[in-house]
Amino acid sequence: MNKTLKRNVTILLSVVLTFALMASAGALTLNLSHFMSNMHPLHVHILQPFADEVKEKTDGRVEIVIHGGNSLVAATDAIDAAEAGIVDISFILPAYTPGRFLLSMIEEFPFMFDTSYQANMAAAQIQDVLQEYDYTTLKLLWFGSTDVGQIFSKMELDSAADLVGKKLRSPGTFYNDVVKGLGATEVSLPVSDLYDALDRSIVDGTFMAISALKSFKLGEVVSHVYMCNMYVTPLVMVMNWDSWDKMSAEDQAVIEELLAEFPEKIGHLYDEEVQPAIDFATEKGVIFSDFTDEEMAEFHAVVEPIVANWLSVMDEQGLPGTETYETLKEAAEMYK
């Protein structure tokens, strides 16, 4: 090889290497942590397709790597991990950091929703308020909820009075007060520990979304489900601000466009999981029942003063609690 050709080849290789390094440097890898198994419908039908679309629509500039089952950080540490940049994105329950996100609790206030679609579409109407007041240290990507929660029990219940003295798993701070108001003992557990707690009678029952009968196999360890449309469990997807700022405005817009589809997609997904979950539990011998109007009035008598008290606490702290609650109820009616 003559000197001129050798020099041209060297220059060409240098250019190719430079472009390769530039391309590598331009690719941003984001780590997303969540608490569910990789077989959970949210992982399979929402989060993984979302990650695939982000990579495709940013032409590979942004890649989201998903770590399920608390494999990267514990569920209780997920918010702090996102703030510290240990993970870039956390998909988590606000209830795992009790007392921290007060306005988010309003989504789980009792008897507002009949379907997950309704709850998720309504939740989208308060997302800007939550970004301003609850998630100031994080980029709020999405706020929504599970399907509607009912009462799961290991024993038959004839009325709210039958819960007196029982141990109930509470889904969050608000429901700690509800459990106490019912005369029961609240037990705080992440959903990932609930199967074992029910199986070993560490708890006698729980407030829980119907889909969990199948997705977390709880239909194997309870005997009765009481359909009362009590609540939904808030879910949140947050991102480290520095990680968000590493993306171009174009790529941020791609992500926000995809996230705008989450309320409808997740709402419908959870609603579609309800009947298969009922079928799964029925095959295991679980009995489904409704409370009478009189029995439901007992529950309302317990929870309504608790709602009023929590809204008062929020308002006194300078949070728009009552206003947010009214907005959410109006939106619930809109999407009923």
Side-chain angles (χ1 to χ4, degrees), residues 68-85:
N70 300 321
S71 59
L72 202 56
V73 296
T76 51
D77 297 328
I79 293 290
D80 290 338
E83 284 183 327

Side-chain angles (χ1 to χ4, degrees), residues 102-103 106 126 128-130 132-134 310-328:
L102 292 182
L103 287 181
I106 294 174
I126 65 170
D128 288 345
V129 173
L130 298 184
E132 181 179 355
Y133 288 95
D134 269 5
W310 271 103
L311 290 176
S312 177
V313 168
M314 293 178 197
D315 292 342
E316 288 172 3
Q317 292 186 13
L319 298 170
T322 300
E323 180 183 346
T324 302
Y325 183 47
E326 294 301 325
T327 298
L328 198 58

Side-chain angles (χ1 to χ4, degrees), residues 2 54 80 104 106 152 158 177 180 208 275 291 307-308 330:
N2 60 45
V54 167
D80 290 338
S104 298
I106 294 174
F152 297 4
D158 291 323
D177 289 349
K180 292 175 186 175
M208 198 67 206
Q275 191 57 52
F291 288 117
V307 168
E330 289 173 8

Side-chain angles (χ1 to χ4, degrees), residues 150-171:
Q150 317 295 342
I151 298 177
F152 297 4
S153 175
K154 291 176 67 71
M155 74 287 293
E156 185 176 359
L157 304 174
D158 291 323
S159 70
D162 289 341
L163 293 171
V164 174
K166 299 300 188 293
K167 296 171 291 183
L168 296 182
R169 181 260 182 180
S170 168

Side-chain angles (χ1 to χ4, degrees), residues 20-28:
L21 290 172
M22 289 173 63
S24 176
L28 176 64

Side-chain angles (χ1 to χ4, degrees), residues 250-283:
E250 177 186 1
D251 292 341
Q252 289 173 352
V254 166
I255 288 178
E256 288 187 324
E257 182 178 354
L258 293 172
L259 290 169
E261 301 172 356
F262 269 34
E264 185 170 0
K265 283 185 174 181
I266 292 178
H268 285 315
L269 174 69
Y270 267 120
D271 286 334
E272 289 164 4
E273 293 296 314
V274 169
Q275 191 57 52
I278 291 174
D279 293 341
F280 173 85
T282 300
E283 290 174 4

Side-chain angles (χ1 to χ4, degrees), residues 58-310:
T58 63
D59 296 323
R61 293 186 299 274
V62 179
E63 181 175 4
I64 297 175
V65 179
I66 301 177
H67 307 267
N70 300 321
S71 59
L72 202 56
V73 296
T76 51
D77 297 328
I79 293 290
D80 290 338
E83 284 183 327
I86 296 171
V87 299
D88 301 289
I89 302 171
S90 284
F91 188 104
I92 197 66
L93 278 67
Y96 287 164
T97 50
R100 185 169 176 182
F101 304 111
L102 292 182
L103 287 181
S104 298
M105 289 171 54
I106 294 174
E107 175 78 2
E108 65 182 329
F109 281 6
F111 308 123
M112 279 195 291
F113 306 115
D114 297 317
T115 67
S116 181
Y117 171 80
Q118 178 192 20
N120 275 278
M121 297 302 288
Q125 308 306 309
I126 65 170
Q127 183 161 321
D128 288 345
V129 173
L130 298 184
Q131 177 70 85
E132 181 179 355
Y133 288 95
D134 269 5
Y135 302 97
T136 56
T137 61
L138 293 157
K139 168 67 177 176
L140 180 56
L141 298 179
W142 169 81
F143 177 79
S145 73
T146 63
D147 52 307
V148 184
Q150 317 295 342
I151 298 177
F152 297 4
S153 175
K154 291 176 67 71
M155 74 287 293
E156 185 176 359
L157 304 174
D158 291 323
S159 70
D162 289 341
L163 293 171
V164 174
K166 299 300 188 293
K167 296 171 291 183
L168 296 182
R169 181 260 182 180
S170 168
T173 305
F174 177 86
Y175 282 89
N176 289 347
D177 289 349
V178 173
V179 171
K180 292 175 186 175
L182 291 168
T185 300
E186 81 279 7
V187 179
S188 296
L189 289 170
V191 65
S192 53
D193 294 341
L194 188 50
Y195 183 103
D196 185 58
L198 285 162
D199 189 38
R200 295 166 56 196
S201 295
I202 295 171
V203 296
D204 301 306
T206 181
F207 299 113
M208 198 67 206
I210 284 291
S211 62
L213 288 167
K214 184 177 181 180
S215 61
F216 288 95
K217 308 297 184 187
L218 299 186
E220 298 177 349
V221 288
V222 299
S223 60
H224 290 77
V225 173
Y226 293 89
M227 305 292 283
C228 55
N229 289 351
M230 170 90 54
Y231 78 113
V232 294
T233 297
L235 296 167
V236 66
M237 187 168 168
V238 292
M239 186 171 184
N240 177 274
W241 272 117
D242 289 339
S243 299
W244 176 257
D245 290 337
K246 287 177 183 177
M247 291 185 291
S248 67
E250 177 186 1
D251 292 341
Q252 289 173 352
V254 166
I255 288 178
E256 288 187 324
E257 182 178 354
L258 293 172
L259 290 169
E261 301 172 356
F262 269 34
E264 185 170 0
K265 283 185 174 181
I266 292 178
H268 285 315
L269 174 69
Y270 267 120
D271 286 334
E272 289 164 4
E273 293 296 314
V274 169
Q275 191 57 52
I278 291 174
D279 293 341
F280 173 85
T282 300
E283 290 174 4
K284 302 295 181 182
V286 175
I287 299 170
F288 289 80
S289 305
D290 297 318
F291 288 117
T292 65
D293 290 343
E294 292 78 10
E295 289 164 349
M296 286 303 301
E298 294 179 43
F299 286 101
H300 280 276
V302 170
V303 302
E304 287 172 5
I306 298 172
V307 168
N309 179 65
W310 271 103

